[in-house]
Amino acid sequence: MDARVPVGYSTCPHDCPSTCALEVELLDERRIGRVRGAKDNSYTAGVICAKVARYAERVHHPDRLMHPLRRKGAKGSGEFERVSWDDALDITAEAMLKAEAEHGSEAVWPYYYAGTMGLLMRDGIDRLRYAKRYSEQVDTICSSISYAAWIAGHGKLRGVDPREMAKSDLVIIWGTNPVNTQVNVMTHAVKARKARGAKIAVIDIYRNGTVEQADIGLCLKPGTDAALACAIMHVLFRDGHADWDYLEKYSDRPRDLERHLASRTPEWASAITGLTVKEIEDFAKLIGTTPRTFFRLGFGFTRSRNGCVSMHAATCIPVVTGAWQNEGGGAFHSNGSIYHINKTLIEGLDVRDTSIRRLDMSQIGRVLTGDEKALRHGPPVTAIFMQNVNPVTVAPEQRKVKAGLARDDLFVTVHEQFMTETAKWAEVVLPATMFLEHDDIYQGGGHQYLGFGPKLIDVPGECRSNHDVVCALAKRLGAEHEGFDLSAREIIDRTLEASGWGSLAELEEARWIDCQPPFEKAHFVAGVGHKDGKFHFAPDWANVPFRGDFPAGPVDQVPEFPDHWEIIEAADDAHPFRLATSPARGYLNTSFTETPTSREREGVPAALIHPRDLEALGLANGAAIRMGNQRGEIRLDAKAFDGLKRGVVIVESIAPNGDFRGGEGINTLTGAADVAPIGGAAFHDNRVWIRADR
C-alpha cells in the first residue's frame, strides 16, 4: 500500500469463517483502493483472499443498484422503473399489511441469510419479524448439520484455538477446501510445516487446491467419511493407540465404542470409501503416533444426508487418542459459542412469540409452492421480504423456488446490492449499502476475534443499510420495539455493554477483541460441554441442544455409535453418478459473481468427470452435456479430471444460473429433503445421469 494514502480499518463481512481484519486504502470520501489483511491481527496475519483484495471492483461496480425500483414487466423479466424511497416502502408495507389481514401474520415471511455476517445488518430483520409475529425462519442452509453434529459430541460449539495449528505436528484438514474458501487455515498449517516439519493431511472428495498443497491427500467417495473415521479408530484401538486414561475420564461409553468398531476394519472401509487398505492403515498409524494432531473440520463433508454422522465420527478420533491434552492437538470447527453476544436489542428477542411457526429456509421452494408439511400446515406465504440472500440461485430445488416466486398472489421485496437472479422476481427492489458504507460488528466463526467494521466511505446513490430499511418499514407497519428508534452505533454500543465486551468506543479504538478462552476451557480439560462433563460417543440425536426444538429428518434412524449410515442418495442404474457442488475459488456463494476478475477466473460452468467415465459415455473432454435427475436437468460442459473416484462428478459453484446453457443452474439438481437431526441442505449428496447435449 502507498504510505501516502490514508488507511481505514475494517472487518470482512462475507460468509466465511475467516472474518478477516482488513486495512483499506481510502482514496477519498467515496472511493477505496487496495485492500489487505491486517498484519497485527494474529489470525488474519496479513493474508486475505484474492476476492476481497480486489474489493474496489465490487464497491465501485457500474452495475450496483443505486435507486429503488418497481416491477413494470412480467415476473422474472427484470424489467423495472425507478420510484422514490417513500413509494417503494409504502408499496412494500401495504402488501405486508394486506397479507397479514387476509391470512394472519404468519403469511409474511422475512427471509435472509449471510450475505453479510454483521450481527446488526444480518440479524436485525428478526426484530421486525418478532415484533410483528411473522413466520420465523430456521437457518438450515449452511451450518445446521455440522454445528448440531459437533455439539452432539462436545456439548458446546467451540474448540482448540485455531492458531494452535502452527504448534501441531500433524494438521488434518477434513471436508473443507481452505485454498478456495478460508485461506487463513493454510496460513497457520503452513507455519507448522515450516517451523516444526509438520505434515498436512487433507481428506476430500476430489483433488482440489488444498489437496495439491498437502503432504497426504486422501480422496474418497462422497458420503463415506464416517466409514474412514470408524476404520481409523478401529486401528487405534487394535494397535494400542487409544488413551484409556483419557477415555475413561472424558468420554461416555469408550468400551462400548471399541466393541462396536471391532468389525469396522480397514478392509470394510476400503470397500465403502474407495481408499486402499494401505492408505487407511498408514494414516491411522500416523495419527496414533502423533500426539500433537490437530483436526480442522469443515462444512463440506456434512452437506449430505448422513452429514451429522460424518462430522461426529471425525470428532471422535482425537478423543480416542487423547490428542486434546496437547497444545497443537485436538479439534476445531467453529468458535460460535465463545462470544456470548446478547442479541436482545438487535433481534428483538424480548418480544418474540415462540408459538409462531418456524419455516425451514432450505425448503423455500416447497414453502412457496404450498407444500403443507413445509408450511407446517399453516397459511400460505403471500408476502416475503428478503435481505442478504439469493435463493433463486442458491437454494435447492431451484425449479420449485422459481415456480413459487412466479405466483400471482405472492408479493416479494428484495433489498440488494446488485440485480441478482432473485431480485428479478421481485415487485420492489431496494438498493443496499456495502460493508464499508455502514457500521457493524462481526464475530469470527473460524477464529476468536470480535471485530468492528466502521463506515469508511460515503453511501453511493440512494443506497440504504439493512438497519435503516428495517426501521423505516417498522414505522409503516406499526411494529413497536425500542431498537427501531436507535441508530446502528447506539444498538452496537448497547449490545457490547450487555454482552460484557465493553463499549463501542473501546472496540473502535482496539479494532478487535481476542475472545479466545484459556487452554483449559478450549481443550475441555475441565470437562466437555455436556452436563456430565464427558464427550458423547453415543449422542442423544433427537435432543441436540442447538437452535431450539426443531428436530428434522429420520432422527430415530441415526446410528447409536459412529458408523457408515447408508441414507445417502446413492447412485442407481438410472442415475449412475454422484454429484457434489463444491465451492469455487473466485466466488463466495453468489457474491463476487459480478466482479470481472472472478468471472474471468471461473469461466463457464463445467462438470469435472473422470476420463474413463467420459470414455464410457462416448464423450470427449469439453463436450457439451446435459446432467439431470428427478428434480430437473442442466446444460454445461464436461471437463476431464482424474483427481476423483470414478462415478463422482464435481461442479464447482455457485455460478449464476444464466451462465448455464438454458438458464437453469446447478441447484436445479440439489434436494431439500429433511436432514437429521435438525435440518439442512444436502448440497453434495445427489445422484445424476449424464448425456451428450445434442
Side-chain angles (χ1 to χ4, degrees):
M1 284 191 173
D2 189 334
R4 296 166 296 180
V5 177
V7 172
Y9 301 102
S10 190
T11 305
C12 181
H14 285 281
D15 189 7
C16 166
S18 288
T19 320
C20 292
L22 304 177
E23 298 176 358
V24 184
E25 285 187 340
L26 303 177
L27 303 183
D28 56 36
E29 292 81 4
R30 292 179 174 273
R31 295 185 304 131
I32 67 166
R34 291 179 293 174
V35 180
R36 72 180 182 195
K39 292 182 179 180
D40 52 343
N41 180 286
S42 63
Y43 186 77
T44 301
V47 179
I48 60 172
C49 69
K51 298 183 288 289
V52 175
R54 303 187 304 264
Y55 214 83
E57 284 187 22
R58 196 162 191 275
V59 172
H60 306 306
H61 197 291
D63 293 339
R64 272 194 72 176
L65 292 171
M66 292 293 180
H67 309 285
L69 303 169
R70 177 174 58 191
R71 179 172 67 86
K72 68 175 183 179
K75 280 199 171 191
S77 67
E79 295 181 40
F80 293 89
E81 61 184 359
R82 182 174 170 180
V83 295
S84 70
W85 265 103
D86 281 341
D87 284 348
L89 292 170
D90 287 345
I91 294 167
T92 298
E94 288 169 10
M96 295 169 78
L97 290 168
K98 180 174 182 282
E100 182 178 356
E102 291 179 347
H103 300 286
S105 64
E106 291 181 334
V108 181
W109 192 21
Y111 189 86
Y112 77 107
Y113 202 56
T116 175
M117 294 293 282
L119 299 189
L120 175 59
M121 299 301 167
R122 182 190 65 196
D123 301 328
I125 192 173
D126 277 337
R127 192 180 339 115
L128 182 63
R129 182 197 313 276
Y130 298 147
K132 289 292 295 179
R133 302 175 76 248
Y134 294 148
S135 283
E136 296 195 8
Q137 172 181 295
V138 187
D139 301 339
T140 58
I141 206 161
C142 176
S143 56
S144 60
I145 305 169
S146 64
Y147 286 178
W150 176 278
I151 294 168
H154 298 86
K156 296 289 184 182
L157 187 61
R158 54 178 167 81
V160 174
D161 185 335
R163 295 168 295 192
E164 284 187 33
M165 275 185 283
K167 300 177 180 179
S168 176
D169 295 319
L170 173 62
V171 178
I172 298 174
I173 299 171
W174 197 327
T176 182
N177 180 11
V179 166
N180 280 15
T181 60
Q182 41 182 317
V183 65
N184 309 89
V185 170
M186 299 306 297
T187 298
H188 296 279
V190 170
K191 282 182 181 179
R193 175 192 275 164
K194 290 180 177 179
R196 306 174 57 83
K199 299 292 185 184
I200 299 174
V202 178
I203 303 168
D204 216 301
I205 58 175
Y206 73 119
R207 191 179 65 237
N208 53 41
T210 306
V211 173
E212 289 177 346
Q213 293 191 24
D215 302 292
I216 301 163
L218 299 179
C219 289
L220 38 63
K221 296 177 181 178
T224 66
D225 300 80
L228 172 60
C230 288
I232 290 170
M233 290 186 285
H234 169 94
V235 173
L236 296 174
F237 281 118
R238 183 196 70 192
D239 293 353
H241 297 305
D243 187 330
W244 281 104
D245 289 340
Y246 183 84
L247 283 166
E248 296 290 358
K249 183 175 181 180
Y250 289 106
S251 69
D252 62 346
R253 296 169 61 184
R255 300 290 176 180
D256 290 338
L257 176 69
E258 182 185 27
R259 284 189 288 271
H260 166 73
L261 295 173
S263 62
R264 273 56 173 181
T265 64
E267 290 77 11
W268 167 83
S270 175
I272 296 169
T273 64
L275 298 171
T276 67
V277 172
K278 186 177 188 304
E279 284 178 310
I280 297 170
E281 289 275 4
D282 290 350
F283 190 49
K285 180 179 179 181
L286 180 62
I287 292 170
T289 56
T290 309
R292 293 177 184 261
T293 295
F294 190 110
F295 287 76
R296 181 59 174 87
L297 304 171
F299 297 97
F301 75 132
T302 71
R303 291 176 179 146
S304 176
R305 287 164 179 78
N306 63 5
C308 65
V309 171
S310 294
M311 170 64 85
H312 177 254
T315 65
C316 292
I317 299 172
V319 180
V320 171
T321 63
W324 282 93
Q325 301 167 97
N326 307 304
E327 188 177 32
F332 180 82
H333 175 56
S334 173
N335 255 338
S337 71
I338 71 171
Y339 298 100
H340 51 80
I341 301 295
N342 184 331
K343 292 187 177 181
T344 300
L345 191 54
I346 290 175
E347 297 185 10
L349 297 175
D350 49 342
V351 295
R352 182 184 180 190
D353 180 351
T354 56
S355 70
I356 298 298
R357 70 174 175 185
R358 305 176 69 201
L359 303 179
D360 185 340
M361 70 174 303
S362 297
Q363 296 188 347
I364 181 174
R366 300 184 185 190
V367 168
L368 296 184
T369 53
D371 183 289
E372 285 295 317
K373 182 180 177 184
L375 285 166
R376 307 298 167 197
H377 306 285
V381 169
T382 57
I384 188 165
F385 171 54
M386 297 188 188
Q387 289 183 323
N388 325 319
V389 69
N390 184 14
V392 168
T393 310
V394 171
E397 299 182 342
Q398 186 176 112
R399 286 186 174 179
K400 289 185 178 179
V401 177
K402 291 178 179 178
L405 290 172
R407 283 171 34 209
D408 289 334
D409 66 333
L410 176 68
F411 183 94
V412 180
T413 290
V414 173
H415 186 203
E416 255 297 354
Q417 297 164 345
F418 292 92
M419 183 58 73
T420 64
E421 289 170 311
T422 300
K424 290 177 181 178
W425 288 90
E427 302 291 335
V428 171
V429 178
L430 306 174
T433 52
M434 292 189 182
F435 78 106
L436 298 172
E437 299 156 3
H438 57 239
D439 298 299
D440 214 337
I441 51 173
Y442 307 85
Q443 61 184 44
H447 53 77
Q448 60 290 308
Y449 283 110
L450 179 65
F452 180 54
K455 180 178 181 295
L456 294 178
I457 57 176
D458 291 344
V459 175
E462 294 185 85
C463 296
R464 293 189 185 181
S465 74
N466 288 6
H467 174 66
D468 289 341
V469 171
V470 165
C471 292
L473 273 178
K475 288 178 170 56
R476 288 167 169 81
L477 293 166
E480 296 182 358
H481 191 275
E482 64 172 324
F484 297 131
D485 297 316
L486 299 174
S487 70
R489 293 182 68 90
E490 288 172 328
I491 291 180
I492 293 168
D493 186 52
R494 288 178 54 177
T495 296
L496 290 169
E497 293 278 7
S499 305
W501 294 118
S503 67
L504 174 55
E506 292 169 329
L507 176 58
E508 191 163 17
E509 182 177 0
R511 293 163 53 197
W512 53 71
I513 301 170
D514 188 337
C515 306
Q516 180 63 41
F519 179 93
E520 293 75 15
K521 189 171 184 179
H523 284 254
F524 296 110
V525 172
V528 184
H530 289 293
K531 290 181 180 179
D532 61 6
K534 294 179 181 293
F535 180 90
H536 288 184
F537 288 127
D540 180 5
W541 287 108
N543 296 290
V544 175
F546 174 60
R547 288 187 180 168
D549 182 19
F550 194 82
V555 178
D556 58 333
Q557 298 176 31
V558 182
E560 181 181 19
F561 285 101
D563 211 342
H564 175 61
W565 188 18
E566 294 182 350
I567 196 174
I568 58 176
E569 190 172 273
D572 58 22
D573 291 342
H575 308 85
F577 294 94
R578 294 262 293 146
L579 166 69
T581 60
S582 305
R585 189 168 186 176
Y587 301 149
L588 202 172
N589 299 322
T590 60
S591 294
F592 302 97
T593 57
E594 66 286 322
T595 54
T597 50
S598 286
R599 292 191 60 77
E600 181 180 357
R601 174 186 173 83
E602 296 305 323
V604 298
L608 305 181
I609 305 173
H610 197 282
R612 290 171 62 191
D613 284 334
L614 281 177
E615 182 181 356
L617 291 166
L619 296 170
N621 181 35
I625 62 171
R626 290 185 297 134
M627 182 185 301
N629 56 22
Q630 68 274 24
R631 303 176 192 103
E633 64 178 73
I634 63 174
R635 301 168 61 203
L636 69 169
D637 294 339
K639 183 176 181 180
F641 181 71
D642 63 2
L644 39 61
K645 302 299 181 187
R646 289 200 63 184
V648 177
V649 182
I650 305 291
V651 178
E652 291 189 329
S653 302
I654 306 172
N657 300 338
D659 286 2
F660 291 78
R661 289 189 298 277
E664 295 199 79
I666 188 62
N667 283 311
T668 302
L669 306 181
T670 58
D674 284 337
V675 176
I678 207 157
F683 286 116
H684 305 330
D685 184 3
N686 314 282
R687 59 184 171 214
V688 295
W689 49 257
I690 297 172
R691 300 167 189 158
D693 186 14
R694 293 188 176 92

